[in-house]
Amino acid sequence: MKRKSWLPVSLALILILTLLSACGGNNGNNASPSSSASASQSASDPASPSASSSAPASESEAPSALSGKLVIWTFFDQVNDMAAKFMEKNPGVQVEVKMFPGDQYQTKLLTALQSGKDLPDIFDLERGYIGKFIDSKFLADLSGMGAEDLVKDYVPYVQGLGRSSDGKLKAVSDHSSPGGFWYLKDTAKQYLGTDDAAEIGAMVSDWDKLIETGKKVYEQSGGKVHLIENAGDLFDIMAYNTEPWVKDGALVIDPKWKETYETQQKIRDNNVDAKLEFMSAGWGTALNSGTVVLTSMPAWAGFMIDNKDDKAVGKFGVAPTPLGFYTGGTYRGIYDKSPNKELAYEFIKYIASSEWQTYNLGKTGNMPGLATVYQDNMDSFKSSFFGDQNVLKPYYDTVTKLPALSADKYGEDILSLWRKTAGQGIANKTDYDKVVASFKKEVKNAFPDLKVD
């Protein structure tokens, strides 16, 4: 692409603010739920939520056994579609969806919960802060309502994140958010000799192979093309393949982070990465122009592809990363003091069902939370960007191996501190021990309640 910037500044800022709230796309063509939500929010008065609900079903439709009204709070505009489909199935139910700007939602929700006034029956929680709510008194115990049956066939990590520290299920997601290496097929053929996802996956199946492949790409292109966007991609990939940052009230640094840091330094020293920050204008340009061969992308991020006049249709492939990873995720819980708990649980049941998740996969390209929906659609699902490729397979093969860990109130914030400190260390070629020392100071300042040796 011959343009000075990939995205207008305003849209880029919106995407950055709401990126981790996102978890869907439109079959890889249109804006993901994150970008759609951001656009609709910015178009409305940011001081007040937008409320929407579908009209009740006509009287000619078959009566439903369910009746009543639900209020759902969210930052995610696809909930409107969930509500509409649920009401279509249950004409006696009215669902009111109140959507708040993503950068205000967490504060708005916490304030309401603490005041106990004007609260929803169901509220959404984003991956980045679900750990701050999961052990609270505000979330109903879904295990006690029978929800273990809903998640017994789930992707392990997805059901794990919805559990409190005592193992009770407190929130449920209708999707998973796996990532992979996206690539332009023509670029892959030119520099890797193939556009086959499995063959490319084998070339980068571990970090040593990835570095060797990257060195060849750089040399072959005369220094004009890099294998990956940024060594920092490893933060996302390793974040959920390492031990939690906190155990028994103390900071824990998994030894794998040292190995990862050394790998990131090798990637940088051997020109394997283009040094482009995630979501920067240059990052998006490289993704769409092919000046980088492989881009680490979550499955829902199709809105980042330049598809004007359908020019990207069938042009991309997706290959597995050395280890599975995910980015983002949205969970739904029931307010513990809701007078409509039983009806709210029926809504949770619906979004956890294969019926909704199969529909959602087909309409938006959102990867399912149910492993069985992956399996049932493995050979039939197609996404326009990826042509005839079986895109469910690389995601399923990696995401199902991620451990089922519960969220905690520290993990995401500490990961951000590590990302910042280690990222600076890589750029400045700082010794690992010095990076760790700086990191520990950051953690002590941010979390004085934690024991930091």
Side-chain angles (χ1 to χ4, degrees):
M1 290 194 315
K2 295 182 179 179
R3 18 180 165 169
K4 293 182 179 179
S5 64
W6 173 55
L7 290 171
V9 173
S10 60
L11 179 56
L13 289 174
I14 292 169
L15 290 175
I16 291 169
L17 285 172
T18 60
L19 171 68
L20 293 181
S21 302
C23 22
N26 194 1
N27 286 335
N29 284 333
N30 299 327
S32 78
S34 173
S35 61
S36 299
S38 301
S40 62
Q41 290 160 359
S42 62
S44 62
D45 180 2
S48 61
S50 62
S52 63
S53 60
S54 297
S58 67
E59 294 181 359
S60 62
E61 292 183 74
S64 171
L66 299 179
S67 63
K69 180 180 178 179
L70 290 174
V71 177
I72 302 176
W73 279 19
T74 187
F75 49 83
F76 183 41
D77 74 343
Q78 199 197 11
V79 177
N80 289 315
D81 194 18
M82 295 178 191
K85 295 297 287 185
F86 184 71
M87 288 188 287
E88 179 183 311
K89 189 177 179 68
N90 301 284
V93 178
Q94 181 185 0
V95 181
E96 180 183 8
V97 178
K98 291 187 176 182
M99 190 170 69
F100 301 86
D103 59 343
Q104 301 174 23
Y105 175 77
Q106 183 185 172
T107 300
K108 175 77 174 177
L109 176 61
L110 184 59
T111 300
L113 289 170
Q114 290 174 338
S115 71
K117 297 178 180 179
D118 300 320
L119 283 160
D121 302 294
I122 298 171
F123 55 87
D124 280 2
L125 296 169
E126 198 272 330
R127 171 63 187 104
Y129 52 77
I130 187 175
K132 298 176 183 178
F133 291 83
I134 201 71
D135 282 325
S136 75
K137 62 183 179 180
F138 304 118
L139 283 167
D141 175 11
L142 302 182
S143 293
M145 301 175 76
E148 295 296 337
D149 285 341
L150 304 183
V151 299
K152 61 183 176 62
D153 294 323
Y154 257 52
V155 170
Y157 99 80
V158 179
Q159 57 88 7
L161 277 177
R163 294 188 183 278
S164 57
S165 57
D166 60 1
K168 294 177 181 176
L169 194 68
K170 293 292 194 73
V172 172
S173 180
D174 67 318
H175 57 265
S176 54
S177 305
F181 280 137
W182 290 28
Y183 58 89
L184 280 165
K185 293 177 182 177
D186 287 348
T187 303
K189 279 185 177 180
Q190 182 176 357
Y191 294 106
L192 302 181
T194 180
D195 63 0
D196 181 80
E199 292 179 16
I200 293 172
M203 294 179 187
V204 295
S205 59
D206 61 46
W207 302 121
D208 288 339
K209 289 181 180 179
L210 183 146
I211 291 169
E212 288 306 309
T213 301
K215 289 163 66 175
K216 293 175 184 177
V217 168
Y218 185 76
E219 292 168 4
Q220 184 182 344
S221 68
K224 295 180 180 179
V225 177
H226 300 267
L227 181 65
I228 64 174
E229 299 261 9
N230 198 298
D233 292 350
L234 272 70
F235 291 126
D236 297 317
I237 294 173
M238 294 305 299
Y240 310 116
N241 290 283
T242 49
E243 291 298 315
W245 289 103
V246 175
K247 183 177 181 181
D248 298 328
L251 176 69
V252 176
I253 303 176
D254 191 314
K256 289 180 183 177
W257 282 116
K258 182 177 182 181
E259 298 172 21
T260 301
Y261 185 78
E262 291 169 352
T263 298
Q264 289 172 306
Q265 287 184 315
K266 290 177 184 177
I267 287 173
R268 183 61 51 86
D269 291 345
N270 285 283
N271 298 302
V272 176
D273 73 323
K275 306 179 183 65
L276 295 172
E277 294 294 332
F278 185 49
M279 292 293 288
S280 68
W283 181 92
T285 300
L287 165 69
N288 287 285
S289 68
T291 54
V292 166
V293 182
L294 305 176
T295 297
S296 175
M297 291 271 280
W300 46 260
F303 71 96
M304 298 180 185
I305 297 297
D306 180 5
N307 193 35
K308 185 178 180 181
D309 299 324
D310 291 334
K311 65 181 179 182
V313 171
K315 300 295 185 181
F316 280 81
V318 58
T321 48
L323 293 169
F325 76 101
Y326 68 92
T327 301
T330 305
Y331 283 72
R332 268 158 217 107
I334 298 174
Y335 177 49
D336 191 48
K337 293 184 179 179
S338 165
N340 303 305
K341 271 188 182 179
E342 291 185 7
L343 184 57
Y345 182 69
E346 292 298 324
F347 187 87
I348 298 296
K349 280 174 62 177
Y350 178 67
I351 66 167
S353 70
S354 60
E355 176 185 349
W356 162 256
Q357 292 185 26
T358 300
Y359 163 82
N360 193 31
L361 173 66
K363 181 176 181 181
T364 70
N366 277 350
M367 295 297 109
L370 279 165
T372 49
V373 175
Y374 272 101
Q375 296 160 5
D376 291 345
N377 293 275
M378 191 73 72
D379 298 324
S380 59
F381 176 75
K382 303 297 178 188
S383 178
S384 62
F385 284 161
F386 303 104
D388 292 330
Q389 184 186 349
N390 181 345
V391 295
L392 292 188
K393 189 176 190 321
Y395 291 134
Y396 180 81
D397 288 347
T398 55
V399 80
T400 52
K401 296 174 184 175
L402 289 171
L405 301 175
S406 59
D408 66 66
K409 63 182 180 180
Y410 302 105
E412 291 299 298
D413 289 339
I414 291 179
L415 174 62
S416 294
L417 293 176
W418 177 253
R419 185 191 300 270
K420 181 187 77 170
T421 309
Q424 291 171 346
I426 293 163
N428 298 327
K429 301 183 183 298
T430 306
D431 179 76
Y432 178 77
D433 290 337
K434 291 182 179 180
V435 169
V436 169
S438 297
F439 171 64
K440 286 181 176 180
K441 288 180 181 179
E442 295 269 6
V443 174
K444 279 184 179 180
N445 290 334
F447 301 103
D449 57 315
L450 288 180
K451 181 181 179 182
V452 180
D453 294 332

